[in-house]
Amino acid sequence: MLTPEYLNLIEFNDVVELYNRLNIEITADIISRINTMNDITSISKKQMKILLQTNGTEVFNEALERTSLLTRETKNALKLLFENMAKEDIQGYKELYEYRGKPFKLSETQYNILNQGLKQTNKVLKNMTNTIAFQSQQAYVNAVDEAYMKTVTGAFDYTSAINAAVQQLADKGITLKDKLGRNIQLETAVRRNVLSGIHATANNINRDIEEDLGCNGYEVTAHLGARPTHAEAQGKQYAISIKDASKYGIELWSDVSDLWEEYNCRHTYFGIILGISEPIYNSKELKEFKNATVRLNGKEIPYYEATQRQRKIENNIRKITRSIKTLEKAKLDARAEKMQLRQLNKELTKLCNETGLNKDYNRMKVAINSSTKLIKNGIIKLPNYEDAVIPKEKFTKYALDINNPKGRNKAIAFQEALGYNVNNVDKLIRNIQKNLNKFNAIEKSDKGFGKQYEVLMTLVGENKKIANVKTGWIIDKETGETRLTSAYVTKKGRKKNGN
């Protein structure tokens, strides 16, 4: 079975983050195009049409190429996601396999169901390629056209109109149409399709397992903070037939089955053998789940209401973080957005401190690949190396500070080996940034603050000498920022494979 906790964990998975990064890259490219345009107020409508058609085609082609390049990464990430799902899902049936005396493993039929679900979900994402390119083109055309109309009508000056167009693009990113014709974020469309594929595949595997094991009932998972209509029915066992419902004194499955198909529901259900399968939760625990409250601003409120407030803030944090990354990628000022982000983080911290809720860092992170990836020459790159932050004070106040007792030896080593000191620290930082993608990133243990990596680099210094520099990095769990944590000269050499 897939628990609510597991589904929450995989909601913002590697596939979603791949497309989130794509969204940021395409949007930033469009913003850069718009921001560097010459003043369009003096051109005719005919000239404007030609401009939009020419540049729009370029945007389409570039977006198409970027999206197409994701195909292999998407397929690999999706395969891993589905395989892990199957391993997690079958665990709920272990005791029934033992009870029936059957081997605890997926059958050939169930593996076929898994592969078919994976294939179908991958196909859905692959079919989005042209749609993403077209919507990227439309985003560019609409933004420029709107800015043009604002200026020629005199409603805005040119600079204000362009700034407004840029801000709107940064906030919205690339949007697609859902089945109801509504505009939704690219990452939302991907997330829905992936989770829908996961749910459908797990359900199909489970139904085959249940038939094989002779299950005659279902049990629903349970969690704190369920919506009120679900809290009443969650965690219980249900009979498939009227006869068994009467025999065991429980409700009929058909009376509640529609509840778990509702949008954004995290509940799943799994097959049981009535009279044999022990319920996971007792009535006391389910009552506590249903009636759970927290204290906020001096008042008791339902746990569900508190989690909805938390989710709203976290979604806003994710949205504003994406805007920041987009603007920074386009080399534009994001100070106002960073101020908003700080305020939202304060608001979230206050809410969580008062209610005792835990922050969902997975929901708030943006455009972070959870694993490193290979490039053409076989080097494993540091995730987000293009945007990695190198705090200057790491060198000026420590690694290059000859007066710092703890950093003195490192400072001497940098000076002697590469000719770097506090007076030319900017050159060292540029040297690290320029060469960061040329050496393998080795993933280290996560100590609770975010994934850590080590990159052993060979640098040519200001004195033209060559030395190895070991750098440490962290992907901050709270902000999603890839940041340098340490750097020092080492005699340790790299192995022939790059590290």
Side-chain angles (χ1 to χ4, degrees):
M1 64 176 175
L2 302 180
T3 64
E5 293 77 18
Y6 180 79
L7 290 173
N8 187 60
L9 185 67
I10 67 169
E11 181 177 3
F12 296 94
N13 52 71
D14 282 0
V15 179
V16 173
E17 293 307 329
L18 283 171
Y19 280 87
N20 204 351
R21 173 173 286 253
L22 175 72
N23 192 357
I24 289 172
E25 289 176 349
I26 292 175
T27 307
D29 178 64
I30 294 172
I31 287 174
S32 295
R33 284 175 177 274
I34 294 173
N35 208 46
T36 55
M37 282 173 58
N38 294 322
D39 193 331
I40 56 176
T41 54
S42 60
I43 68 175
S44 66
K45 286 188 176 181
K46 185 178 180 180
Q47 289 172 315
M48 185 65 182
K49 187 176 180 180
I50 295 171
L51 174 71
L52 289 177
Q53 191 172 23
T54 303
N55 287 353
T57 301
E58 288 180 9
V59 170
F60 178 91
N61 290 334
E62 287 187 16
L64 187 65
E65 183 180 4
R66 287 179 188 271
T67 310
S68 299
L69 288 173
L70 276 186
T71 302
R72 181 175 292 277
E73 282 188 270
T74 299
K75 189 175 181 180
N76 291 339
L78 203 60
K79 183 173 184 289
L80 184 62
L81 189 63
F82 270 68
E83 287 175 348
N84 288 339
M85 173 275 290
K87 291 175 185 176
E88 177 74 19
D89 186 50
I90 196 175
Q91 293 303 316
Y93 294 96
K94 188 173 183 179
E95 290 183 2
L96 292 187
Y97 272 97
E98 292 174 354
Y99 175 74
R100 294 298 192 194
K102 294 191 173 188
F104 179 55
K105 62 179 183 179
L106 291 178
S107 67
E108 184 178 344
T109 300
Q110 289 147 18
Y111 269 116
N112 288 336
I113 293 172
L114 175 64
N115 289 328
Q116 186 58 39
L118 171 60
K119 185 178 179 181
Q120 179 59 34
T121 306
N122 191 53
K123 182 180 178 182
V124 169
L125 295 181
K126 196 172 181 180
N127 288 343
M128 289 170 61
T129 301
N130 282 338
T131 305
I132 292 169
F134 175 74
Q135 289 301 115
S136 301
Q137 181 182 23
Q138 282 303 114
Y140 169 78
V141 171
N142 292 342
V144 176
D145 192 45
E146 186 175 341
Y148 176 72
M149 293 305 296
K150 283 179 178 178
T151 54
V152 296
T153 57
F156 290 83
D157 62 81
Y158 177 73
T159 302
S160 297
I162 289 296
N163 287 343
V166 165
Q167 189 60 58
Q168 190 173 32
L169 271 170
D171 289 343
K172 288 185 176 181
I174 306 304
T175 59
L176 306 181
K177 297 284 186 183
D178 67 5
K179 292 178 181 178
L180 299 176
R182 298 171 299 189
N183 286 323
I184 58 172
Q185 278 284 342
L186 171 58
E187 70 155 74
T188 303
V190 172
R191 190 169 78 242
R192 286 181 185 176
N193 280 308
V194 171
L195 289 180
S196 176
I198 289 281
H199 270 291
T201 305
N203 283 339
N204 290 337
I205 290 174
N206 289 348
R207 301 302 82 86
D208 193 77
I209 289 174
E210 290 150 13
E211 184 178 346
D212 189 40
L213 295 175
C215 296
N216 58 354
Y218 290 117
E219 183 171 338
V220 181
T221 56
H223 63 91
L224 272 169
R227 63 190 71 171
T229 52
H230 292 193
E232 186 67 43
Q234 70 173 355
K236 297 179 181 178
Q237 292 188 341
Y238 297 91
I240 294 174
S241 70
I242 297 175
K243 181 180 177 181
D244 282 336
S246 176
K247 178 181 178 180
Y248 292 100
I250 57 177
E251 296 174 61
L252 198 59
W253 173 248
S254 58
D255 292 338
V256 299
S257 59
D258 287 347
L259 284 175
W260 324 120
E261 305 301 325
E262 292 178 6
Y263 173 69
N264 219 20
C265 175
R266 288 290 180 270
H267 289 98
T268 57
Y269 54 93
F270 53 97
I272 57 173
I273 300 175
L274 297 172
I276 299 297
S277 302
E278 289 291 329
I280 294 176
Y281 301 99
N282 58 43
S283 56
K284 181 183 178 183
E285 289 171 323
L286 292 176
K287 187 177 180 180
E288 288 174 353
F289 278 6
K290 178 184 173 184
N291 299 324
T293 61
V294 294
R295 196 161 187 81
L296 182 64
N297 297 327
K299 296 180 181 179
E300 291 288 329
I301 66 169
Y303 190 95
Y304 172 75
E305 183 181 330
T307 59
Q308 292 305 297
R309 292 190 189 188
Q310 177 189 1
R311 176 169 287 195
K312 183 178 180 180
I313 298 172
E314 288 173 344
N315 283 339
N316 285 336
I317 287 174
R318 184 176 178 86
K319 180 182 175 183
I320 198 71
T321 303
R322 185 178 59 243
S323 295
I324 291 169
K325 287 183 175 290
T326 300
L327 290 169
E328 289 182 338
K329 191 83 176 174
K331 305 266 192 274
L332 296 178
D333 185 11
R335 282 177 293 182
E337 286 74 15
K338 287 181 178 179
M339 193 177 296
Q340 291 179 49
L341 180 59
R342 283 195 291 272
Q343 187 57 42
L344 284 169
N345 275 315
K346 286 180 182 178
E347 190 179 337
L348 179 63
T349 298
K350 181 178 180 293
L351 174 72
C352 291
N353 285 344
E354 280 195 52
T355 60
L357 297 173
N358 294 318
K359 294 180 182 180
D360 187 352
Y361 292 105
N362 200 41
R363 177 175 296 279
M364 294 183 285
K365 72 177 183 178
V366 171
I368 302 298
N369 293 328
S370 62
S371 61
T372 48
K373 56 184 182 181
L374 291 175
I375 59 176
K376 290 180 180 178
N377 61 2
I379 300 297
I380 302 176
K381 297 186 292 184
L382 176 72
N384 315 302
Y385 73 89
E386 309 101 319
D387 304 316
V389 175
I390 302 180
K392 193 172 182 177
E393 59 270 19
K394 282 286 181 185
F395 294 102
T396 58
K397 295 183 179 180
Y398 181 59
L400 294 181
D401 186 359
I402 200 83
N403 297 314
N404 186 322
K406 292 183 178 180
R408 178 178 172 79
N409 290 337
K410 292 182 175 64
I412 292 172
F414 267 115
Q415 177 64 56
E416 292 181 352
L418 294 167
Y420 290 118
N421 52 57
V422 290
N423 296 318
N424 59 7
V425 60
D426 290 333
K427 292 183 178 180
L428 171 57
I429 290 174
R430 284 197 296 271
N431 200 352
I432 292 173
Q433 288 172 329
K434 184 176 70 175
N435 291 284
L436 188 52
N437 67 331
K438 298 176 182 177
F439 301 94
N440 281 344
I442 305 298
E443 188 171 337
K444 312 299 281 187
S445 60
D446 184 340
K447 296 180 180 178
F449 301 102
K451 286 195 174 182
Q452 298 190 77
Y453 295 86
E454 179 182 285
V455 181
L456 182 60
M457 315 170 73
T458 301
L459 301 179
V460 178
E462 283 298 290
N463 57 8
K464 306 306 178 187
K465 291 183 180 179
I466 298 174
N468 293 323
V469 175
K470 183 176 285 188
T471 58
W473 305 83
I474 188 170
I475 298 179
D476 192 287
K477 188 176 181 180
E478 189 161 348
T479 66
E481 180 181 76
T482 298
R483 186 173 65 252
L484 179 86
T485 56
S486 64
Y488 58 91
V489 174
T490 177
K491 292 182 179 180
K492 181 181 178 182
R494 294 183 298 107
K495 296 176 183 177
K496 289 182 181 179
N497 65 357
N499 253 329

